[in-house]
Amino acid sequence: MIKRTSKEIKVAINNGTLVDTTNKTKLFELFSKRDLYSTIFDDYNVNNIETINLWTERTLYGKIDHEQQPVLPIYTKLKTLINSNNNSCFVVAPVADAFLDLNNSMNYDSNIRKIKPSSYYPLRPKSATYNVVDKMNTQIIELFDFYYTRYVKLYNKKNMIKSFEDFINYSLEFLNISNPFITLSSFSLKQNYLSNGLTIDLVSDKDASSDKEKQINYLEDENFTYFLDKAEQFGFFVDKNVPWRLVFNIQSPNSQKYLQKYNISNTKQFFETFYVRTILLELDLIKQQYVRTYNQFLRINPDVLNSCNEKIQPRTLITDQILNDDYRWLKFHYFLKLREFNLIKDQNNYDQLISDFNMLYGLNKDILIKHIQEVTKPVVANGANPDLDMLNLTTKRLSYKINYKF
């Protein structure tokens, strides 16, 4: 790589051949400087190797499937990569196979002295897939614990909660204030790219917002052009904004041999083999967390008390009738998803959505779940994943009260 003195760095920044941008850069300068970094990257990419932009273009790559439905890797089907420090990283099986072949090829090139050690060699996978379900469960436990230990007390809701239904209904007031994502679909789409099973970070402690450091340490690395070319040969993109990040290209001709090993010939089969749609998991997760939290609340507060702390009545237990009421839980699930995806315009609009829901409920539960999937899928552009330019999922939430009761 180019060795620069501090004086040379200042000169390069002033003449526009080195861009000095971080997340702390003033907003009015940020766009033009990010654009300059992109131009500089393209200048170093002399062979015009295809890369991926996960920040502003393909933001949901690997997070939605061939029908634009939110998905997560099936964690039992992940394969382990172990680096020289014996750290384990996990990725979808074909990705692991491709990475191992890439690593072996680079080792061979090093042995014949085609490449020298640098930022790109030897390859050391530092970070890969993490368990989004575990992460979400941890967040929901903390959120609901705050709800029943702090919010209920602060807003004098305790004696208004006489049943499990009350507990859920008052929780919706809390959710309107705190605005968290509590459905797995919404939560998963907001996770970083290491959640998708396709991504391997070769560095874990670098600031990806520092364009100057990326240029000096990676774009100007003597193996940069070689690495872009090698990554493509084994079915990987390099992330344009994080040049130490490899992302498996499902549709690359060079990735097909790794897919065929698992009898996969198209994107649809890939997602059906290695991924699960979040909607198939999230209702049970929501139900489990509400049941857990209400039971904890009951243990601490078994009775409804008056202002003198005298017992008025015991709080009701959760009945099997409630737990097994598919209609009630699916409707609740649907409401949460509509809310989180900002799909309710007003009360009339919500009433119509529920009217359509009720018509379908009498037909088949699976049909209803497919209807919920279709109505609440992310807003994207230009076709199906992964050959997409993605639009960011809005974080705007309902600011008005919808007449809904569990």
Side-chain angles (χ1 to χ4, degrees):
M1 68 181 68
I2 299 173
K3 301 294 184 181
R4 297 179 186 262
T5 65
S6 57
K7 181 178 180 180
E8 288 171 336
I9 289 173
K10 290 180 181 178
V11 170
I13 291 172
N14 289 334
N15 65 25
T17 59
L18 180 65
V19 59
D20 188 15
T21 312
T22 69
N23 286 338
K24 296 179 181 179
T25 301
K26 294 178 180 178
L27 190 59
F28 69 89
E29 297 178 332
L30 193 59
F31 179 80
S32 61
K33 287 191 173 182
R34 291 291 189 214
D35 195 49
L36 177 57
Y37 167 82
S38 180
T39 300
I40 290 172
F41 183 101
D42 291 341
D43 289 341
Y44 281 99
N45 183 10
V46 293
N47 293 332
N48 198 29
I49 301 296
E50 184 181 9
T51 58
I52 192 168
N53 179 347
L54 295 175
W55 283 8
T56 59
E57 293 177 4
R58 301 170 76 170
T59 60
L60 299 183
Y61 182 84
K63 298 180 183 181
I64 61 173
D65 66 12
H66 53 288
E67 293 181 345
Q68 301 176 14
Q69 294 298 331
V71 292
L72 287 173
I74 298 172
Y75 298 121
T76 56
K77 292 188 177 182
L78 297 180
K79 225 172 172 179
T80 306
L81 297 174
I82 299 177
N83 65 22
S84 59
N85 296 322
N86 288 322
N87 294 321
S88 296
C89 297
F90 304 92
V91 286
V92 172
V95 182
D97 297 341
F99 181 83
L100 290 173
D101 281 355
L102 168 62
N103 189 43
N104 289 337
S105 180
M106 292 182 70
N107 286 338
Y108 175 81
D109 287 347
S110 173
N111 290 336
I112 64 172
R113 302 188 179 182
K114 184 176 179 180
I115 56 171
K116 297 178 181 178
S118 73
S119 295
Y120 283 114
Y121 182 79
L123 290 185
R124 295 188 178 95
K126 292 294 181 66
S127 303
T129 315
Y130 61 90
N131 192 311
V132 174
V133 176
D134 286 350
K135 184 176 180 181
M136 180 181 174
N137 270 328
T138 299
Q139 174 180 292
I140 297 300
I141 287 171
E142 293 173 353
L143 180 76
F144 282 4
D145 286 354
F146 183 87
Y147 163 59
Y148 84 82
T149 59
R150 302 287 296 279
Y151 175 83
V152 166
K153 181 179 180 180
L154 182 64
Y155 289 91
N156 297 316
K157 304 291 185 183
K158 185 185 295 185
N159 289 328
M160 299 178 187
I161 298 174
K162 301 174 183 177
S163 66
F164 184 50
E165 295 95 318
D166 292 338
F167 188 80
I168 291 179
N169 289 328
Y170 282 112
S171 79
L172 297 179
E173 293 183 4
F174 168 67
L175 295 179
N176 277 333
I177 294 172
S178 55
N179 275 341
F181 292 108
I182 69 165
T183 69
L184 185 59
S185 296
S186 299
F187 185 81
S188 67
L189 293 176
K190 286 298 181 182
Q191 297 305 296
N192 70 42
Y193 306 105
L194 293 174
S195 67
N196 65 19
L198 305 174
T199 304
I200 302 168
D201 276 3
L202 304 176
V203 178
S204 59
D205 57 354
K206 295 287 186 183
D207 180 6
S209 77
S210 175
D211 291 337
K212 180 180 72 175
E213 297 304 317
K214 288 186 291 189
Q215 181 175 339
I216 291 175
N217 293 316
Y218 289 89
L219 307 192
E220 294 175 359
D221 187 287
E222 60 186 317
N223 290 328
F224 176 68
T225 301
Y226 163 88
F227 182 72
L228 290 180
D229 183 59
K230 273 291 179 184
E232 184 182 57
Q233 287 179 34
F234 289 90
F236 287 98
F237 294 116
V238 172
D239 187 333
K240 190 170 189 176
N241 296 299
V242 188
W244 53 83
R245 173 173 290 165
L246 289 166
V247 184
F248 191 66
N249 181 357
I250 304 167
Q251 294 181 330
S252 166
N254 296 325
S255 65
Q256 298 314 299
K257 67 178 180 179
Y258 300 107
L259 301 179
Q260 289 166 6
K261 177 181 175 182
Y262 299 91
N263 299 316
I264 293 169
S265 59
N266 55 52
T267 303
K268 178 176 182 291
Q269 289 179 342
F270 176 78
F271 281 109
E272 289 178 346
T273 301
F274 291 108
Y275 289 76
V276 59
R277 289 185 173 178
T278 54
I279 194 171
L280 301 178
L281 305 174
E282 62 191 2
L283 179 55
D284 283 343
L285 291 173
I286 291 168
K287 184 188 292 190
Q288 289 166 12
Q289 292 294 7
Y290 266 105
V291 169
R292 181 199 69 85
T293 311
Y294 182 67
N295 284 333
Q296 283 189 333
F297 177 73
L298 272 182
R299 282 194 290 272
I300 300 171
N301 307 283
D303 302 311
V304 180
L305 307 177
N306 63 20
S307 58
C308 298
N309 283 331
E310 297 171 335
K311 177 179 175 180
I312 296 176
Q313 66 184 71
R315 290 188 166 86
T316 60
L317 302 175
I318 303 172
T319 65
D320 289 340
Q321 182 180 2
I322 292 174
L323 288 177
N324 298 325
D325 189 338
D326 286 344
Y327 171 75
R328 184 182 288 196
W329 283 104
L330 283 169
K331 181 181 174 184
F332 181 52
H333 180 211
Y334 191 33
F335 172 75
L336 292 175
K337 290 180 73 69
L338 289 169
R339 175 186 172 276
E340 291 187 352
F341 283 89
N342 196 39
L343 295 172
I344 306 175
K345 299 181 178 66
D346 52 37
Q347 186 68 46
N348 288 336
N349 172 240
Y350 174 70
D351 290 343
Q352 182 58 56
L353 289 166
I354 292 302
S355 176
D356 296 340
F357 172 93
N358 289 337
M359 289 176 63
L360 289 170
Y361 183 76
L363 299 176
N364 183 289
K365 181 179 175 181
D366 291 336
I367 291 175
L368 187 56
I369 291 174
K370 288 180 181 178
H371 174 73
I372 295 173
Q373 282 186 142
E374 193 60 31
V375 172
T376 61
K377 70 183 180 182
V379 178
V380 297
N382 298 337
N385 179 289
D387 191 19
L388 288 174
D389 290 332
M390 297 297 186
L391 300 179
N392 287 323
L393 176 67
T394 178
T395 57
K396 181 182 176 184
R397 312 299 272 281
L398 295 175
S399 58
Y400 48 84
K401 184 174 176 61
I402 294 297
N403 183 22
Y404 168 84
K405 292 294 180 183
F406 178 77

